[in-house]
Amino acid sequence: MNDIWNEICFELRACIQNNVLEKDYENAICNCMVLLGWKKFRGEIISQYPVQAGHENKYADIVVLQDGVEQFVIEIKRPNHILQEEDERQLFSYMRLLKHQVIFGLYVGDKIRLYYDDVASQQFPEQVFSLDIEENNPDGVKFVELFSKASFNIQTLTDFCKGQKVIAQKQKQIQDEVSKILSDTSGQVFKDALKEKYLNEGYSEDWVESVLNQFILTVSPLIKGNQPEVATVISDYESVVSHIVNRDKTKYGFLGSGPLAKRKFVLGVVRHFVSKNPKTYDEYAKILNSLKPDSQGVIRTYDSLTKTQMIRYFTKEKECLKSIDGVKFVVCNQWGDFNIAPIVRFANSQGYNVIKYK
């Protein structure tokens, strides 16, 4: 199955590198369905499949059928297209408007995303799985297992999607808790916990306050190895910044800029994107903050920053940016090897030709 996935990657990577037109990408994806065992001549893979929407026909990019019954629909966008809510809504409408409503939808752009329509939930379909189009990706092997005609099974795929939803819910609970901790810029949550501990051990409140006033607590989303570093204790005469910035020395360049430190690379990429793509602040936030889905995000409005948050953003006047609706905003400067990859992928998707310098 890994060979089949690698063959799919070979087919699609050339399209991604050349940012081919949507129709050419559609043809390549049809060929990938053939690699998975579905047959065009049997009417199992149909491009521009008519879908009745009220009094008009719309056309789904690809629908895959088995014994004449629709099994899943594929929505396709050019490889460098940034996924928008309207793209998802279009896919959802096709899933629900087909003659035989389907509960699985694939969105293929810069990566492959699987959506599942849990009809019992009475909500919109949800993204439950996504995979990068890279050779020897273990998730690619799973994709081949699930969507090969020989092994395709509605119940198996349903069970997989439900399992992914459970995992996602647990991850969201964890992320919500982490975000809550990270939003406590004063470290008061940890100080309160220490205070309760000392009081329970019989120390006086004055004694406890004397101890707690001797240090500063900061919380940052650093990751060392595979373990998240949730809290760092810093005495009040040490530099807070030195504990926040990752020590990795890799630099990045784009559009012939030469090597840049990660924070300057991100600032440069965002500034260039903004200069070439006039949008409202909300539009920028939707696109860019999805690349760093934590409490800091990639950008924040200048007016929303507290004094303690200023250190985490590029706030000099010449570094600030402005949207077409007049919102002044700033770029986060907290970057390391643990969170730079989405920015690199985004820059490459825009044709910025990123170069990595070790």
Side-chain angles (χ1 to χ4, degrees), residues 258-284:
L260 299 168
K262 295 179 189 66
R263 60 208 306 265
K264 290 293 187 180
F265 165 73
V266 175
L267 177 62
V269 167
V270 174
R271 289 176 69 91
H272 190 77
F273 177 73
V274 168
S275 70
K276 299 296 182 182
N277 299 273
K279 297 180 184 293
T280 65
Y281 174 76
D282 286 344
E283 289 173 324
Y284 285 135

Side-chain angles (χ1 to χ4, degrees), residues 221-235:
L222 283 180
I223 297 176
K224 293 182 178 179
N226 294 321
Q227 299 299 319
E229 182 183 4
V230 177
T232 305
V233 180
I234 305 173
S235 59

Side-chain angles (χ1 to χ4, degrees), residues 126-227:
E126 298 177 70
Q127 182 184 152
V128 295
F129 187 57
S130 71
L131 63 156
D132 292 324
I133 303 170
E134 298 175 349
E135 289 186 3
N136 302 314
N137 183 348
D139 288 338
V141 175
K142 186 64 180 178
F143 174 79
V144 172
E145 177 187 324
L146 291 170
F147 285 93
S148 289
K149 183 185 176 184
S151 54
F152 184 80
N153 180 276
I154 294 291
Q155 190 58 54
T156 299
L157 188 49
T158 299
D159 292 343
F160 172 78
C161 291
K162 288 182 176 180
Q164 290 295 112
K165 282 186 66 174
V166 171
I167 293 171
Q169 288 166 356
K170 289 180 179 178
Q171 290 175 337
K172 185 178 185 304
Q173 289 173 346
I174 292 170
Q175 189 57 49
D176 286 347
E177 190 63 27
V178 170
S179 296
K180 187 189 301 183
I181 293 170
L182 291 174
S183 66
D184 177 29
T185 55
S186 68
Q188 194 59 46
V189 169
F190 295 98
K191 284 196 171 186
D192 288 345
L194 283 171
K195 182 175 182 177
E196 183 177 354
K197 170 185 179 295
Y198 287 133
L199 291 175
N200 288 338
E201 290 176 356
Y203 293 99
S204 70
E205 188 158 345
D206 287 343
W207 184 92
V208 173
E209 292 295 338
S210 295
V211 171
L212 297 182
N213 288 337
Q214 296 302 310
F215 59 87
I216 295 171
L217 274 173
T218 73
V219 185
S220 62
L222 283 180
I223 297 176
K224 293 182 178 179
N226 294 321
Q227 299 299 319

